[in-house]
Amino acid sequence: LVKSLPGSVYQITLTPQQKALSFHPGQFVFVRFLAAQKTGISQEWHPFSISSGPDDTNLQLSVKALGDYTSKLGALPVGTKAQVEGAYGRFSFVHYRNPLQVWVAGGIGVTPFLSMARRLPQIDYRIDLYYSVKTASELIDADVLEQIASQTGGRFRVIQFVSDQQNGAFLDANFIEKTTGPLSKFEVYVCGPPPMMAAMRRQFRGKGVPNARIHTEEFAMS
């Protein structure tokens, strides 16, 4: 099933033919769609972050149309079979026991955080998620994140940063420090465009966060 979302994003839901995929929240998979040739979609393997939770039966992927391949995924017919390989990656809070965490999502980079957030009502962590987009229309599943936040008693906060509402400014570590407080003891996760991730890493290190506590998800596709 493919659902079109604002900001040229496709939400793809896959139903397992046998048992559900086992994965840690925040991981990614390689997928190839065995679509009819008339769709023009190649059957090559491509990586996608998982946006569903590990306890969900169905596997959900949220994909932004960034190039020739991803822009065609909206044409996937219902019932298309897919092969899934994985899951892969260590971009998950389950690998790091520090309960003080800052998550920074840039645009479609919110995908792994959607997966991680779905586990949070069961976890006693203090987490601030900064969700940065250019326009409010680009926000994905903001209602889902707010609902999860309401279930955590304030332990999980979602801070939206819409550039168009900030005179075109970009999210930076100064804004995050003013909102969250001193950052040196926090575990930091960043997922978004590569220039954003590189800039945020430099800025967080300038705020006293050791490089080993700054985690980024770095694979790209089109």
Side-chain angles (χ1 to χ4, degrees), residues 43-122:
Q43 296 187 17
E44 297 175 353
W45 292 93
H46 288 271
F48 298 99
S49 290
I50 302 168
S51 55
S52 51
D55 298 325
D56 297 338
T57 299
N58 292 335
L59 185 70
Q60 185 184 88
L61 313 170
S62 299
V63 182
K64 189 172 180 65
L66 293 172
D68 183 62
Y69 175 78
T70 49
S71 63
K72 294 177 180 178
L73 294 181
L76 283 169
V78 174
T80 297
K81 291 185 177 181
Q83 293 181 330
V84 179
E85 182 182 298
Y88 299 109
R90 292 184 57 82
F91 190 76
S92 179
F93 69 86
V94 302
H95 298 299
Y96 306 95
R97 300 304 179 186
N98 185 353
L100 299 177
Q101 299 194 0
V102 167
W103 299 353
V104 182
I108 194 61
V110 75
T111 301
F113 296 120
L114 284 167
S115 180
M116 290 197 280
R118 287 182 162 102
R119 177 57 67 85
L120 287 184
Q122 309 167 33

Side-chain angles (χ1 to χ4, degrees), residues 69-193:
Y69 175 78
T70 49
S71 63
K72 294 177 180 178
L73 294 181
L76 283 169
V78 174
T80 297
K81 291 185 177 181
Q83 293 181 330
V84 179
E85 182 182 298
Y88 299 109
R90 292 184 57 82
F91 190 76
S92 179
F93 69 86
V94 302
H95 298 299
Y96 306 95
R97 300 304 179 186
N98 185 353
L100 299 177
Q101 299 194 0
V102 167
W103 299 353
V104 182
I108 194 61
V110 75
T111 301
F113 296 120
L114 284 167
S115 180
M116 290 197 280
R118 287 182 162 102
R119 177 57 67 85
L120 287 184
Q122 309 167 33
I123 307 294
D124 189 20
Y125 280 30
R126 178 200 160 189
I127 298 170
D128 284 349
L129 166 61
Y130 290 84
Y131 187 3
S132 175
V133 292
K134 182 178 179 181
T135 66
S137 64
E138 296 176 351
L139 293 166
I140 301 169
D141 283 344
D143 56 337
V144 173
L145 291 169
E146 291 296 346
Q147 182 179 12
I148 294 170
S150 70
Q151 298 170 359
T152 64
R155 291 181 290 108
F156 176 54
R157 299 192 301 171
V158 180
I159 300 96
Q160 296 177 3
F161 189 95
V162 181
S163 292
D164 282 0
Q165 298 175 4
Q166 302 285 342
N167 297 318
F170 293 107
L171 176 67
D172 59 24
N174 288 329
F175 179 91
I176 293 172
E177 186 176 56
K178 289 177 182 177
T179 308
T180 296
L183 298 170
S184 61
K185 295 182 179 180
F186 278 75
E187 206 81 25
V188 175
Y189 299 78
V190 186
C191 186

